Amino acid sequence: MGRTALGRGTLKPEGSDVAAEEIPPLRQPPQLTFADMALAHGSGHDMSGMNHDMGGMNHDLDAAISHDGHTMTKGDDDGHSGHDMSAMKHEDVPNPFYAKGSGLIPSAANGGKFLTYSDLRTQKPLYPERPPTREIELRLTGNMERYSWSINGKKYADSEPLRLQYGERIRFKFINETMMTHPMHLHGMWSILDVGAGEWNPEKHVVSIAPSTEVYFETEVDAPGRWAFHCHLAYHAAAGMFREVEVVGAPKNLQKTAEVK
């Protein structure tokens, strides 16, 4: 997961020097912590009754737990995420694009502002705004210890294609029930991310879904054929967080060959 702190470039005449005092101090990059798995204190979730088996994580848990100030216990696992996310209050999360308390939302230095998806706007909307035809709910599911990843509790090999009708506008509702961020990528069509900006909502190819959050984007179904829809962490997609999208009902002159793009 890329996390940049501060970049600096200098334009100067050849041979001239730049005084050290003119160079602002670099900010430290934020670190990935339990907060980014929606496990930090103050996240709005009661963690007291949750038993997570973290044995499969390649982290120094002692250091991480000491740093974050809370303990995690080893318990039984049912093959899913290890806890019931349905009881979590998503309305407690102030920004739907990051887990509350995440290190991704630091205090901005020098009076600056930390930008999120909520700050994005499109300059030239690709499509006129209109109500969606229907909504499809996709729960991002998996288990970190067993390293199984899925959508709606099913891996790709056990799932049916998502069939969309050419010309409709689909609203996708994502519920991330895992402790990892999943950048979701729909091939062939734009993902119009709902940031509350109406017709100025940004169009994206990949939308990252943070742990314990609900995120919505809409898609104008204008590309006939069969398309891949998957987590852009390749090892998650390979493990099962992948779906085929089949767009049907297009005019014959627009129909494409039946191979997944």
Side-chain angles (χ1 to χ4, degrees):
M1 181 182 296
R3 294 187 168 197
T4 57
L6 177 68
R8 177 185 181 274
T10 301
L11 294 176
K12 62 184 182 67
E14 184 177 358
S16 64
D17 294 326
V18 177
E21 59 269 21
E22 296 177 1
I23 302 175
L26 296 180
R27 295 194 296 270
Q28 293 297 317
Q31 299 297 309
L32 189 69
T33 71
F34 282 126
D36 299 279
M37 297 187 289
L39 295 179
H41 285 306
S43 65
H45 308 317
D46 180 9
M47 306 302 296
S48 59
M50 295 185 178
N51 292 324
H52 302 277
D53 189 341
M54 307 299 287
M57 294 180 64
N58 294 321
H59 296 296
D60 185 348
L61 287 182
D62 290 336
I65 291 173
S66 174
H67 173 74
D68 247 32
H70 68 276
T71 59
M72 302 185 70
T73 59
K74 192 176 182 69
D76 294 332
D77 192 276
D78 61 0
H80 297 289
S81 63
H83 56 273
D84 181 8
M85 302 293 289
S86 63
M88 290 189 171
K89 298 180 180 179
H90 294 282
E91 63 269 19
D92 290 342
V93 181
N95 187 316
F97 305 116
Y98 296 102
K100 185 176 180 180
S102 168
L104 269 178
I105 313 181
S107 298
N110 303 321
K113 179 181 180 181
F114 184 80
L115 299 178
T116 74
Y117 279 163
S118 298
D119 295 288
L120 293 178
R121 299 291 185 273
T122 186
Q123 291 185 323
K124 297 180 180 180
L126 296 176
Y127 307 96
E129 187 181 15
R130 63 176 177 130
T133 309
R134 57 192 172 108
E135 180 176 289
I136 296 177
E137 180 177 292
L138 299 176
R139 293 181 297 106
L140 306 181
T141 48
N143 181 282
M144 293 178 69
E145 182 181 13
R146 298 183 181 184
Y147 218 78
S148 60
W149 302 103
S150 55
I151 297 176
N152 291 340
K154 290 185 177 181
K155 60 184 180 181
Y156 172 63
D158 300 327
S159 67
E160 295 292 327
L162 295 173
R163 291 185 172 85
L164 310 182
Q165 183 70 32
Y166 181 85
E168 66 178 338
R169 184 181 178 110
I170 296 293
R171 182 171 175 86
F172 289 102
K173 175 183 179 180
F174 291 91
I175 303 175
N176 189 349
E177 298 184 2
T178 78
M179 294 185 291
M180 292 191 72
T181 294
H182 298 287
M184 299 303 295
H185 179 202
L186 173 60
H187 288 222
M189 290 161 280
W190 288 95
S191 300
I192 307 170
L193 179 62
D194 187 354
V195 298
E199 65 176 316
W200 306 108
N201 281 332
E203 297 102 355
K204 292 178 59 61
H205 284 134
V206 178
V207 175
S208 290
I209 316 296
S212 188
T213 59
E214 293 180 2
V215 172
Y216 296 83
F217 71 64
E218 297 181 4
T219 296
E220 286 285 347
V221 184
D222 59 358
R226 299 168 61 200
W227 304 97
F229 195 6
H230 61 93
C231 176
H232 222 289
L233 296 175
Y235 38 92
H236 287 187
M241 192 172 281
F242 187 108
R243 281 293 185 276
E244 177 187 337
V245 169
E246 183 179 4
V247 176
V248 300
K252 289 185 177 181
N253 63 322
L254 295 179
Q255 292 180 8
K256 299 182 179 179
T257 58
E259 62 176 324
V260 176
K261 304 294 183 183

